[in-house]
Amino acid sequence: GLMGVESIAVDPRNAGTVYMLAGTSYFSNGKTVIMRSTDYGQHFDLVDVTAQFKAHGNGMGRSNGERLQVDPGSSNVLFVGTRSNGLFKSVDSGATWTHVNGLNVGSTPNGNGISFVLLDPTSVSGGTAKRIFVGVSRYGSVGPSLYMSKDGGLTFAPVAGAPTSLMPQRAAMTNKGRLYLTYANGAGPHGQNDSEPMTTGQVWEYNTVGGAWTNITPAGMTNAFGGISVDPSNP
């Protein structure tokens, strides 16, 4: 009943430690677990989180992410964005989870909720990352779709200037503090209905230093965009 893996997180400080958010709504009454391994995935232990939040590894928005992240400053700290219950945090390597009240986001009209969580490794101070970005699967007419925390998740605020007519899909950050995001007019991976047809999208750069937004969509391309990566040795 754990066939659907919604997100995978590798500890940036220890490549042998990997976590997975697993569960599908129509298996095992939506049973959801955090799978944890410290030996490169040879063995896993399971933390049942069903009572707090539920994953849907085969739901719309399954190509968004990553929803689950390990803090680049501390192997004990993790964040997970959920579909209906907002943002959660663990300070004991995923063994227990608490709701992050500083982010006022729960469910979204499309049922996808938080589409990604991204912690800025350049903002690590006092052992944890202070700058955290959270993407939300909704249009600007419903509410902001990109939030940022500057205090490690204690408080969040919408990022000014973010696109409002598209939904964020995935994001990547350089070691120079520049955030790159893909957008589409739906949660994906395919058109669901007239309100989310997945027919158009853009790629944007956000400079965390000055707050400037730049449309870097490849010339002549208007389709929805999904995955994005940054070369770690060449920003």
Side-chain angles (χ1 to χ4, degrees):
L2 295 173
M3 291 291 288
V5 176
E6 191 155 75
S7 187
I8 299 176
V10 177
D11 184 348
R13 299 166 64 88
N14 183 354
T17 300
V18 61
Y19 300 85
M20 294 195 288
L21 170 64
T24 297
S25 67
Y26 47 79
F27 288 144
S28 304
N29 296 316
K31 180 181 179 181
T32 297
V33 303
I34 300 292
M35 304 177 66
R36 307 186 300 169
S37 174
T38 57
D39 56 10
Y40 292 90
Q42 293 185 59
H43 307 89
F44 283 92
D45 71 291
L46 309 182
V47 178
D48 193 325
V49 294
T50 313
Q52 293 180 284
F53 52 87
K54 291 186 177 183
H56 188 9
N58 196 42
M60 294 299 290
R62 59 186 177 269
S63 53
N64 299 165
E66 294 287 344
R67 302 172 191 261
L68 180 65
Q69 295 280 358
V70 183
D71 194 305
S74 172
S75 298
N76 298 323
V77 177
L78 291 90
F79 287 87
V80 63
T82 72
R83 289 178 174 267
S84 301
N85 300 90
L87 184 66
F88 281 78
K89 179 181 181 179
S90 173
V91 295
D92 53 13
S93 301
T96 60
W97 295 84
T98 56
H99 186 263
V100 177
N101 295 324
L103 179 66
N104 186 26
V105 173
S107 60
T108 53
N110 62 9
N112 194 36
I114 293 175
S115 53
F116 70 79
V117 180
L118 184 64
L119 290 81
D120 182 0
T122 68
S123 72
V124 172
S125 175
T128 58
K130 295 300 180 276
R131 188 181 294 119
I132 304 172
F133 291 95
V134 173
V136 182
S137 187
R138 62 188 180 190
Y139 296 117
S141 58
V142 178
S145 63
L146 184 65
Y147 288 82
M148 178 174 63
S149 173
K150 298 179 180 180
D151 52 19
L154 293 177
T155 61
F156 283 85
V159 178
T164 58
S165 61
L166 298 167
M167 298 181 185
Q169 307 291 302
R170 302 184 75 93
M173 175 158 273
T174 75
N175 56 11
K176 303 295 184 182
R178 292 182 184 250
L179 182 69
Y180 293 92
L181 306 99
T182 54
Y183 283 87
N185 57 340
H190 55 78
Q192 188 176 17
N193 49 47
D194 291 339
S195 64
E196 293 192 19
M198 287 298 284
T199 54
T200 186
Q202 295 174 340
V203 184
W204 284 82
E205 175 195 83
Y206 174 69
N207 189 342
T208 62
V209 177
W213 284 89
T214 305
N215 187 339
I216 58 167
T217 307
M221 300 293 290
T222 61
N223 292 342
F225 288 87
I228 187 166
S229 299
V230 174
D231 188 330
S233 63
N234 184 357

